PDB file of all heavy atoms in Angstrom:
ATOM      1  N   ARG O  26    -179.269 142.737 -45.056  1.00 94.00           N
ATOM      2  CA  ARG O  26    -180.344 141.795 -44.706  1.00 94.00           C
ATOM      3  C   ARG O  26    -181.699 142.267 -45.221  1.00 94.00           C
ATOM      4  O   ARG O  26    -182.513 141.478 -45.697  1.00 94.00           O
ATOM      5  CB  ARG O  26    -180.407 141.600 -43.180  1.00 94.00           C
ATOM      6  CG  ARG O  26    -179.353 140.647 -42.641  1.00 94.00           C
ATOM      7  CD  ARG O  26    -179.693 140.198 -41.224  1.00 94.00           C
ATOM      8  NE  ARG O  26    -179.674 141.304 -40.282  1.00 94.00           N
ATOM      9  CZ  ARG O  26    -178.615 141.663 -39.574  1.00 94.00           C
ATOM     10  NH1 ARG O  26    -177.467 141.023 -39.715  1.00 94.00           N
ATOM     11  NH2 ARG O  26    -178.685 142.663 -38.720  1.00 94.00           N
ATOM     12  N   ARG O  27    -181.925 143.566 -45.125  1.00 94.00           N
ATOM     13  CA  ARG O  27    -183.222 144.122 -45.523  1.00 94.00           C
ATOM     14  C   ARG O  27    -183.478 143.939 -47.015  1.00 94.00           C
ATOM     15  O   ARG O  27    -184.618 143.793 -47.439  1.00 94.00           O
ATOM     16  CB  ARG O  27    -183.214 145.619 -45.152  1.00 94.00           C
ATOM     17  CG  ARG O  27    -184.577 146.250 -44.993  1.00 94.00           C
ATOM     18  CD  ARG O  27    -184.424 147.674 -44.518  1.00 94.00           C
ATOM     19  NE  ARG O  27    -183.838 147.768 -43.184  1.00 94.00           N
ATOM     20  CZ  ARG O  27    -183.037 148.747 -42.767  1.00 94.00           C
ATOM     21  NH1 ARG O  27    -182.704 149.734 -43.586  1.00 94.00           N
ATOM     22  NH2 ARG O  27    -182.572 148.738 -41.540  1.00 94.00           N
ATOM     23  N   HIS O  28    -182.401 143.946 -47.812  1.00 96.00           N
ATOM     24  CA  HIS O  28    -182.562 143.941 -49.274  1.00 96.00           C
ATOM     25  C   HIS O  28    -181.998 142.688 -49.940  1.00 96.00           C
ATOM     26  O   HIS O  28    -181.899 142.636 -51.167  1.00 96.00           O
ATOM     27  CB  HIS O  28    -181.888 145.188 -49.862  1.00 96.00           C
ATOM     28  CG  HIS O  28    -182.518 146.466 -49.394  1.00 96.00           C
ATOM     29  ND1 HIS O  28    -183.669 146.984 -49.970  1.00 96.00           N
ATOM     30  CD2 HIS O  28    -182.186 147.320 -48.388  1.00 96.00           C
ATOM     31  CE1 HIS O  28    -184.005 148.107 -49.350  1.00 96.00           C
ATOM     32  NE2 HIS O  28    -183.120 148.329 -48.395  1.00 96.00           N
ATOM     33  N   GLU O  29    -181.631 141.668 -49.152  1.00 93.00           N
ATOM     34  CA  GLU O  29    -180.921 140.527 -49.731  1.00 93.00           C
ATOM     35  C   GLU O  29    -181.736 139.766 -50.769  1.00 93.00           C
ATOM     36  O   GLU O  29    -181.167 139.149 -51.675  1.00 93.00           O
ATOM     37  CB  GLU O  29    -180.423 139.581 -48.643  1.00 93.00           C
ATOM     38  CG  GLU O  29    -181.501 138.910 -47.834  1.00 93.00           C
ATOM     39  CD  GLU O  29    -180.897 138.070 -46.718  1.00 93.00           C
ATOM     40  OE1 GLU O  29    -179.692 137.755 -46.784  1.00 93.00           O
ATOM     41  OE2 GLU O  29    -181.626 137.748 -45.766  1.00 93.00           O
ATOM     42  N   ALA O  30    -183.051 139.805 -50.691  1.00 95.00           N
ATOM     43  CA  ALA O  30    -183.869 139.071 -51.658  1.00 95.00           C
ATOM     44  C   ALA O  30    -183.691 139.611 -53.075  1.00 95.00           C
ATOM     45  O   ALA O  30    -183.831 138.858 -54.048  1.00 95.00           O
ATOM     46  CB  ALA O  30    -185.344 139.135 -51.251  1.00 95.00           C
ATOM     47  N   ARG O  31    -183.373 140.884 -53.183  1.00 96.00           N
ATOM     48  CA  ARG O  31    -183.182 141.490 -54.515  1.00 96.00           C
ATOM     49  C   ARG O  31    -181.718 141.779 -54.821  1.00 96.00           C
ATOM     50  O   ARG O  31    -181.386 142.306 -55.883  1.00 96.00           O
ATOM     51  CB  ARG O  31    -183.980 142.802 -54.625  1.00 96.00           C
ATOM     52  CG  ARG O  31    -185.488 142.605 -54.528  1.00 96.00           C
ATOM     53  CD  ARG O  31    -186.247 143.888 -54.819  1.00 96.00           C
ATOM     54  NE  ARG O  31    -185.894 144.951 -53.879  1.00 96.00           N
ATOM     55  CZ  ARG O  31    -185.320 146.107 -54.221  1.00 96.00           C
ATOM     56  NH1 ARG O  31    -185.011 146.366 -55.466  1.00 96.00           N
ATOM     57  NH2 ARG O  31    -185.065 147.011 -53.293  1.00 96.00           N
ATOM     58  N   ALA O  32    -180.834 141.429 -53.876  1.00 97.00           N
ATOM     59  CA  ALA O  32    -179.412 141.747 -54.031  1.00 97.00           C
ATOM     60  C   ALA O  32    -178.707 140.698 -54.886  1.00 97.00           C
ATOM     61  O   ALA O  32    -179.217 139.599 -55.115  1.00 97.00           O
ATOM     62  CB  ALA O  32    -178.747 141.832 -52.662  1.00 97.00           C
ATOM     63  N   ALA O  33    -177.523 141.058 -55.355  1.00 97.00           N
ATOM     64  CA  ALA O  33    -176.621 140.111 -56.018  1.00 97.00           C
ATOM     65  C   ALA O  33    -175.424 139.889 -55.101  1.00 97.00           C
ATOM     66  O   ALA O  33    -175.075 140.749 -54.284  1.00 97.00           O
ATOM     67  CB  ALA O  33    -176.163 140.656 -57.367  1.00 97.00           C
ATOM     68  N   PHE O  34    -174.792 138.722 -55.239  1.00 97.00           N
ATOM     69  CA  PHE O  34    -173.608 138.412 -54.442  1.00 97.00           C
ATOM     70  C   PHE O  34    -172.528 137.833 -55.344  1.00 97.00           C
ATOM     71  O   PHE O  34    -172.816 137.138 -56.320  1.00 97.00           O
ATOM     72  CB  PHE O  34    -173.940 137.421 -53.318  1.00 97.00           C
ATOM     73  CG  PHE O  34    -174.803 138.017 -52.245  1.00 97.00           C
ATOM     74  CD1 PHE O  34    -176.185 137.970 -52.351  1.00 97.00           C
ATOM     75  CD2 PHE O  34    -174.233 138.659 -51.155  1.00 97.00           C
ATOM     76  CE1 PHE O  34    -176.987 138.536 -51.379  1.00 97.00           C
ATOM     77  CE2 PHE O  34    -175.034 139.233 -50.175  1.00 97.00           C
ATOM     78  CZ  PHE O  34    -176.416 139.175 -50.281  1.00 97.00           C
ATOM     79  N   VAL O  35    -171.287 138.161 -55.012  1.00 96.00           N
ATOM     80  CA  VAL O  35    -170.131 137.611 -55.712  1.00 96.00           C
ATOM     81  C   VAL O  35    -169.387 136.734 -54.718  1.00 96.00           C
ATOM     82  O   VAL O  35    -169.165 137.135 -53.566  1.00 96.00           O
ATOM     83  CB  VAL O  35    -169.215 138.719 -56.259  1.00 96.00           C
ATOM     84  CG1 VAL O  35    -168.040 138.118 -57.013  1.00 96.00           C
ATOM     85  CG2 VAL O  35    -170.004 139.660 -57.167  1.00 96.00           C
ATOM     86  N   ASP O  36    -169.032 135.522 -55.135  1.00 95.00           N
ATOM     87  CA  ASP O  36    -168.393 134.559 -54.233  1.00 95.00           C
ATOM     88  C   ASP O  36    -166.875 134.616 -54.337  1.00 95.00           C
ATOM     89  O   ASP O  36    -166.315 134.691 -55.436  1.00 95.00           O
ATOM     90  CB  ASP O  36    -168.882 133.150 -54.564  1.00 95.00           C
ATOM     91  CG  ASP O  36    -170.335 132.956 -54.179  1.00 95.00           C
ATOM     92  OD1 ASP O  36    -170.639 133.061 -52.981  1.00 95.00           O
ATOM     93  OD2 ASP O  36    -171.178 132.734 -55.076  1.00 95.00           O
ATOM     94  N   TRP O  37    -166.230 134.545 -53.158  1.00 93.00           N
ATOM     95  CA  TRP O  37    -164.773 134.571 -53.057  1.00 93.00           C
ATOM     96  C   TRP O  37    -164.301 133.420 -52.184  1.00 93.00           C
ATOM     97  O   TRP O  37    -165.060 132.916 -51.347  1.00 93.00           O
ATOM     98  CB  TRP O  37    -164.307 135.894 -52.431  1.00 93.00           C
ATOM     99  CG  TRP O  37    -164.843 137.096 -53.132  1.00 93.00           C
ATOM    100  CD1 TRP O  37    -165.745 137.991 -52.657  1.00 93.00           C
ATOM    101  CD2 TRP O  37    -164.547 137.506 -54.462  1.00 93.00           C
ATOM    102  NE1 TRP O  37    -166.025 138.947 -53.603  1.00 93.00           N
ATOM    103  CE2 TRP O  37    -165.301 138.673 -54.734  1.00 93.00           C
ATOM    104  CE3 TRP O  37    -163.710 137.012 -55.468  1.00 93.00           C
ATOM    105  CZ2 TRP O  37    -165.241 139.349 -55.937  1.00 93.00           C
ATOM    106  CZ3 TRP O  37    -163.654 137.681 -56.678  1.00 93.00           C
ATOM    107  CH2 TRP O  37    -164.407 138.837 -56.901  1.00 93.00           C
ATOM    108  N   PRO O  38    -163.044 133.015 -52.332  1.00 87.00           N
ATOM    109  CA  PRO O  38    -162.500 131.981 -51.440  1.00 87.00           C
ATOM    110  C   PRO O  38    -162.571 132.429 -49.981  1.00 87.00           C
ATOM    111  O   PRO O  38    -162.367 133.607 -49.674  1.00 87.00           O
ATOM    112  CB  PRO O  38    -161.042 131.835 -51.899  1.00 87.00           C
ATOM    113  CG  PRO O  38    -161.006 132.411 -53.279  1.00 87.00           C
ATOM    114  CD  PRO O  38    -162.059 133.467 -53.329  1.00 87.00           C
ATOM    115  N   ALA O  39    -162.837 131.491 -49.092  1.00 84.00           N
ATOM    116  CA  ALA O  39    -162.960 131.834 -47.671  1.00 84.00           C
ATOM    117  C   ALA O  39    -161.693 132.503 -47.136  1.00 84.00           C
ATOM    118  O   ALA O  39    -161.756 133.382 -46.272  1.00 84.00           O
ATOM    119  CB  ALA O  39    -163.281 130.581 -46.860  1.00 84.00           C
ATOM    120  N   ALA O  40    -160.525 132.133 -47.659  1.00 78.00           N
ATOM    121  CA  ALA O  40    -159.264 132.700 -47.168  1.00 78.00           C
ATOM    122  C   ALA O  40    -159.164 134.193 -47.418  1.00 78.00           C
ATOM    123  O   ALA O  40    -158.462 134.910 -46.688  1.00 78.00           O
ATOM    124  CB  ALA O  40    -158.080 131.987 -47.813  1.00 78.00           C
ATOM    125  N   ALA O  41    -159.862 134.701 -48.437  1.00 80.00           N
ATOM    126  CA  ALA O  41    -159.785 136.126 -48.763  1.00 80.00           C
ATOM    127  C   ALA O  41    -160.459 136.992 -47.707  1.00 80.00           C
ATOM    128  O   ALA O  41    -160.285 138.208 -47.699  1.00 80.00           O
ATOM    129  CB  ALA O  41    -160.406 136.396 -50.133  1.00 80.00           C
ATOM    130  N   LEU O  42    -161.217 136.359 -46.811  1.00 79.00           N
ATOM    131  CA  LEU O  42    -161.907 137.109 -45.761  1.00 79.00           C
ATOM    132  C   LEU O  42    -160.953 137.611 -44.686  1.00 79.00           C
ATOM    133  O   LEU O  42    -161.310 138.456 -43.882  1.00 79.00           O
ATOM    134  CB  LEU O  42    -162.978 136.206 -45.130  1.00 79.00           C
ATOM    135  CG  LEU O  42    -163.821 136.775 -43.998  1.00 79.00           C
ATOM    136  CD1 LEU O  42    -164.579 138.021 -44.437  1.00 79.00           C
ATOM    137  CD2 LEU O  42    -164.797 135.722 -43.486  1.00 79.00           C
ATOM    138  N   ALA O  43    -159.735 137.102 -44.653  1.00 71.00           N
ATOM    139  CA  ALA O  43    -158.806 137.384 -43.557  1.00 71.00           C
ATOM    140  C   ALA O  43    -158.723 138.874 -43.242  1.00 71.00           C
ATOM    141  O   ALA O  43    -158.457 139.699 -44.110  1.00 71.00           O
ATOM    142  CB  ALA O  43    -157.410 136.859 -43.917  1.00 71.00           C
ATOM    143  N   ASP O  44    -158.973 139.193 -41.968  1.00 71.00           N
ATOM    144  CA  ASP O  44    -158.768 140.569 -41.508  1.00 71.00           C
ATOM    145  C   ASP O  44    -157.720 140.548 -40.398  1.00 71.00           C
ATOM    146  O   ASP O  44    -157.260 139.495 -39.986  1.00 71.00           O
ATOM    147  CB  ASP O  44    -160.078 141.226 -41.049  1.00 71.00           C
ATOM    148  CG  ASP O  44    -160.718 140.482 -39.884  1.00 71.00           C
ATOM    149  OD1 ASP O  44    -160.199 139.433 -39.488  1.00 71.00           O
ATOM    150  OD2 ASP O  44    -161.744 140.959 -39.380  1.00 71.00           O
ATOM    151  N   VAL O  45    -157.339 141.729 -39.979  1.00 67.00           N
ATOM    152  CA  VAL O  45    -156.248 141.856 -39.009  1.00 67.00           C
ATOM    153  C   VAL O  45    -156.782 142.531 -37.756  1.00 67.00           C
ATOM    154  O   VAL O  45    -157.037 143.733 -37.763  1.00 67.00           O
ATOM    155  CB  VAL O  45    -155.074 142.655 -39.601  1.00 67.00           C
ATOM    156  CG1 VAL O  45    -153.976 142.834 -38.566  1.00 67.00           C
ATOM    157  CG2 VAL O  45    -154.525 141.964 -40.842  1.00 67.00           C
ATOM    158  N   ASP O  46    -156.996 141.739 -36.716  1.00 67.00           N
ATOM    159  CA  ASP O  46    -157.425 142.279 -35.429  1.00 67.00           C
ATOM    160  C   ASP O  46    -156.395 142.046 -34.336  1.00 67.00           C
ATOM    161  O   ASP O  46    -156.290 142.827 -33.398  1.00 67.00           O
ATOM    162  CB  ASP O  46    -158.753 141.642 -34.997  1.00 67.00           C
ATOM    163  CG  ASP O  46    -159.940 142.198 -35.770  1.00 67.00           C
ATOM    164  OD1 ASP O  46    -159.939 143.415 -36.060  1.00 67.00           O
ATOM    165  OD2 ASP O  46    -160.855 141.429 -36.100  1.00 67.00           O
ATOM    166  N   LEU O  47    -155.657 140.933 -34.443  1.00 65.00           N
ATOM    167  CA  LEU O  47    -154.705 140.522 -33.416  1.00 65.00           C
ATOM    168  C   LEU O  47    -153.342 140.275 -34.041  1.00 65.00           C
ATOM    169  O   LEU O  47    -153.254 140.043 -35.256  1.00 65.00           O
ATOM    170  CB  LEU O  47    -155.202 139.231 -32.744  1.00 65.00           C
ATOM    171  CG  LEU O  47    -156.571 139.302 -32.053  1.00 65.00           C
ATOM    172  CD1 LEU O  47    -157.086 137.911 -31.746  1.00 65.00           C
ATOM    173  CD2 LEU O  47    -156.480 140.149 -30.788  1.00 65.00           C
ATOM    174  N   PRO O  48    -152.264 140.305 -33.260  1.00 65.00           N
ATOM    175  CA  PRO O  48    -150.934 140.039 -33.823  1.00 65.00           C
ATOM    176  C   PRO O  48    -150.854 138.718 -34.582  1.00 65.00           C
ATOM    177  O   PRO O  48    -150.191 138.638 -35.624  1.00 65.00           O
ATOM    178  CB  PRO O  48    -150.035 140.041 -32.575  1.00 65.00           C
ATOM    179  CG  PRO O  48    -150.718 140.979 -31.631  1.00 65.00           C
ATOM    180  CD  PRO O  48    -152.188 140.734 -31.842  1.00 65.00           C
ATOM    181  N   ASP O  49    -151.553 137.678 -34.108  1.00 69.00           N
ATOM    182  CA  ASP O  49    -151.538 136.392 -34.824  1.00 69.00           C
ATOM    183  C   ASP O  49    -152.160 136.515 -36.212  1.00 69.00           C
ATOM    184  O   ASP O  49    -151.729 135.848 -37.156  1.00 69.00           O
ATOM    185  CB  ASP O  49    -152.292 135.323 -34.019  1.00 69.00           C
ATOM    186  CG  ASP O  49    -151.497 134.852 -32.806  1.00 69.00           C
ATOM    187  OD1 ASP O  49    -150.316 135.231 -32.695  1.00 69.00           O
ATOM    188  OD2 ASP O  49    -152.058 134.117 -31.986  1.00 69.00           O
ATOM    189  N   ASP O  50    -153.189 137.361 -36.326  1.00 70.00           N
ATOM    190  CA  ASP O  50    -153.821 137.583 -37.636  1.00 70.00           C
ATOM    191  C   ASP O  50    -152.819 138.170 -38.619  1.00 70.00           C
ATOM    192  O   ASP O  50    -152.807 137.824 -39.807  1.00 70.00           O
ATOM    193  CB  ASP O  50    -155.008 138.552 -37.513  1.00 70.00           C
ATOM    194  CG  ASP O  50    -156.103 138.029 -36.611  1.00 70.00           C
ATOM    195  OD1 ASP O  50    -156.247 136.797 -36.488  1.00 70.00           O
ATOM    196  OD2 ASP O  50    -156.824 138.862 -36.033  1.00 70.00           O
ATOM    197  N   LEU O  51    -151.994 139.059 -38.122  1.00 66.00           N
ATOM    198  CA  LEU O  51    -151.003 139.719 -38.967  1.00 66.00           C
ATOM    199  C   LEU O  51    -150.042 138.695 -39.564  1.00 66.00           C
ATOM    200  O   LEU O  51    -149.759 138.726 -40.773  1.00 66.00           O
ATOM    201  CB  LEU O  51    -150.252 140.753 -38.127  1.00 66.00           C
ATOM    202  CG  LEU O  51    -149.300 141.685 -38.857  1.00 66.00           C
ATOM    203  CD1 LEU O  51    -150.029 142.505 -39.897  1.00 66.00           C
ATOM    204  CD2 LEU O  51    -148.612 142.595 -37.847  1.00 66.00           C
ATOM    205  N   GLU O  52    -149.569 137.791 -38.748  1.00 70.00           N
ATOM    206  CA  GLU O  52    -148.640 136.768 -39.254  1.00 70.00           C
ATOM    207  C   GLU O  52    -149.332 135.848 -40.251  1.00 70.00           C
ATOM    208  O   GLU O  52    -148.738 135.440 -41.247  1.00 70.00           O
ATOM    209  CB  GLU O  52    -148.061 135.968 -38.080  1.00 70.00           C
ATOM    210  CG  GLU O  52    -147.204 136.803 -37.134  1.00 70.00           C
ATOM    211  CD  GLU O  52    -146.192 137.677 -37.872  1.00 70.00           C
ATOM    212  OE1 GLU O  52    -145.478 137.157 -38.765  1.00 70.00           O
ATOM    213  OE2 GLU O  52    -146.123 138.885 -37.577  1.00 70.00           O
ATOM    214  N   ARG O  53    -150.597 135.512 -39.984  1.00 73.00           N
ATOM    215  CA  ARG O  53    -151.334 134.637 -40.899  1.00 73.00           C
ATOM    216  C   ARG O  53    -151.514 135.301 -42.271  1.00 73.00           C
ATOM    217  O   ARG O  53    -151.319 134.678 -43.311  1.00 73.00           O
ATOM    218  CB  ARG O  53    -152.695 134.293 -40.298  1.00 73.00           C
ATOM    219  CG  ARG O  53    -153.457 133.232 -41.093  1.00 73.00           C
ATOM    220  CD  ARG O  53    -154.782 132.885 -40.457  1.00 73.00           C
ATOM    221  NE  ARG O  53    -155.799 133.881 -40.713  1.00 73.00           N
ATOM    222  CZ  ARG O  53    -156.251 134.762 -39.836  1.00 73.00           C
ATOM    223  NH1 ARG O  53    -155.753 134.794 -38.616  1.00 73.00           N
ATOM    224  NH2 ARG O  53    -157.192 135.619 -40.156  1.00 73.00           N
ATOM    225  N   VAL O  54    -151.871 136.582 -42.257  1.00 70.00           N
ATOM    226  CA  VAL O  54    -152.077 137.314 -43.513  1.00 70.00           C
ATOM    227  C   VAL O  54    -150.766 137.444 -44.277  1.00 70.00           C
ATOM    228  O   VAL O  54    -150.734 137.271 -45.508  1.00 70.00           O
ATOM    229  CB  VAL O  54    -152.708 138.703 -43.217  1.00 70.00           C
ATOM    230  CG1 VAL O  54    -152.582 139.612 -44.421  1.00 70.00           C
ATOM    231  CG2 VAL O  54    -154.167 138.544 -42.828  1.00 70.00           C
ATOM    232  N   ARG O  55    -149.689 137.740 -43.574  1.00 71.00           N
ATOM    233  CA  ARG O  55    -148.390 137.850 -44.249  1.00 71.00           C
ATOM    234  C   ARG O  55    -148.003 136.522 -44.881  1.00 71.00           C
ATOM    235  O   ARG O  55    -147.450 136.486 -46.004  1.00 71.00           O
ATOM    236  CB  ARG O  55    -147.319 138.295 -43.248  1.00 71.00           C
ATOM    237  CG  ARG O  55    -147.397 139.781 -42.923  1.00 71.00           C
ATOM    238  CD  ARG O  55    -146.446 140.172 -41.802  1.00 71.00           C
ATOM    239  NE  ARG O  55    -146.395 141.627 -41.616  1.00 71.00           N
ATOM    240  CZ  ARG O  55    -145.986 142.221 -40.508  1.00 71.00           C
ATOM    241  NH1 ARG O  55    -145.591 141.496 -39.472  1.00 71.00           N
ATOM    242  NH2 ARG O  55    -145.951 143.540 -40.426  1.00 71.00           N
ATOM    243  N   ALA O  56    -148.296 135.403 -44.227  1.00 71.00           N
ATOM    244  CA  ALA O  56    -147.998 134.092 -44.789  1.00 71.00           C
ATOM    245  C   ALA O  56    -148.850 133.822 -46.025  1.00 71.00           C
ATOM    246  O   ALA O  56    -148.355 133.284 -47.023  1.00 71.00           O
ATOM    247  CB  ALA O  56    -148.231 133.006 -43.738  1.00 71.00           C
ATOM    248  N   LEU O  57    -150.130 134.203 -45.978  1.00 68.00           N
ATOM    249  CA  LEU O  57    -151.008 134.017 -47.148  1.00 68.00           C
ATOM    250  C   LEU O  57    -150.510 134.823 -48.341  1.00 68.00           C
ATOM    251  O   LEU O  57    -150.500 134.347 -49.475  1.00 68.00           O
ATOM    252  CB  LEU O  57    -152.438 134.419 -46.788  1.00 68.00           C
ATOM    253  CG  LEU O  57    -153.228 133.455 -45.912  1.00 68.00           C
ATOM    254  CD1 LEU O  57    -154.504 134.095 -45.406  1.00 68.00           C
ATOM    255  CD2 LEU O  57    -153.574 132.183 -46.698  1.00 68.00           C
ATOM    256  N   LEU O  58    -150.108 136.069 -48.079  1.00 70.00           N
ATOM    257  CA  LEU O  58    -149.602 136.902 -49.172  1.00 70.00           C
ATOM    258  C   LEU O  58    -148.305 136.348 -49.746  1.00 70.00           C
ATOM    259  O   LEU O  58    -148.070 136.413 -50.951  1.00 70.00           O
ATOM    260  CB  LEU O  58    -149.392 138.341 -48.663  1.00 70.00           C
ATOM    261  CG  LEU O  58    -150.662 139.157 -48.466  1.00 70.00           C
ATOM    262  CD1 LEU O  58    -150.341 140.457 -47.740  1.00 70.00           C
ATOM    263  CD2 LEU O  58    -151.346 139.446 -49.789  1.00 70.00           C
ATOM    264  N   ALA O  59    -147.465 135.815 -48.882  1.00 68.00           N
ATOM    265  CA  ALA O  59    -146.184 135.266 -49.340  1.00 68.00           C
ATOM    266  C   ALA O  59    -146.382 134.072 -50.269  1.00 68.00           C
ATOM    267  O   ALA O  59    -145.563 133.819 -51.158  1.00 68.00           O
ATOM    268  CB  ALA O  59    -145.333 134.869 -48.141  1.00 68.00           C
ATOM    269  N   ARG O  60    -147.499 133.338 -50.062  1.00 68.00           N
ATOM    270  CA  ARG O  60    -147.755 132.156 -50.898  1.00 68.00           C
ATOM    271  C   ARG O  60    -148.398 132.508 -52.232  1.00 68.00           C
ATOM    272  O   ARG O  60    -148.510 131.665 -53.102  1.00 68.00           O
ATOM    273  CB  ARG O  60    -148.692 131.180 -50.140  1.00 68.00           C
ATOM    274  CG  ARG O  60    -147.993 130.475 -48.982  1.00 68.00           C
ATOM    275  CD  ARG O  60    -148.715 129.201 -48.607  1.00 68.00           C
ATOM    276  NE  ARG O  60    -150.047 129.449 -48.070  1.00 68.00           N
ATOM    277  CZ  ARG O  60    -150.298 129.623 -46.770  1.00 68.00           C
ATOM    278  NH1 ARG O  60    -149.305 129.624 -45.895  1.00 68.00           N
ATOM    279  NH2 ARG O  60    -151.540 129.815 -46.343  1.00 68.00           N
ATOM    280  N   ARG O  61    -148.873 133.751 -52.379  1.00 62.00           N
ATOM    281  CA  ARG O  61    -149.547 134.138 -53.629  1.00 62.00           C
ATOM    282  C   ARG O  61    -148.530 134.319 -54.752  1.00 62.00           C
ATOM    283  O   ARG O  61    -147.460 134.819 -54.544  1.00 62.00           O
ATOM    284  CB  ARG O  61    -150.344 135.415 -53.437  1.00 62.00           C
ATOM    285  CG  ARG O  61    -151.594 135.173 -52.593  1.00 62.00           C
ATOM    286  CD  ARG O  61    -152.493 136.373 -52.652  1.00 62.00           C
ATOM    287  NE  ARG O  61    -153.809 136.011 -52.095  1.00 62.00           N
ATOM    288  CZ  ARG O  61    -154.867 136.806 -52.139  1.00 62.00           C
ATOM    289  NH1 ARG O  61    -154.776 137.978 -52.708  1.00 62.00           N
ATOM    290  NH2 ARG O  61    -156.007 136.411 -51.622  1.00 62.00           N
TER     291      ARG O  61
END
């Protein structure tokens, strides 16, 4: 936040943000990988 005015950003699909915190997240991520 402090440096965002001079920073660069690279854009990715929203689905790539998936992290694993709960058991349901794990199944969702495994399904996404299976479709790749």
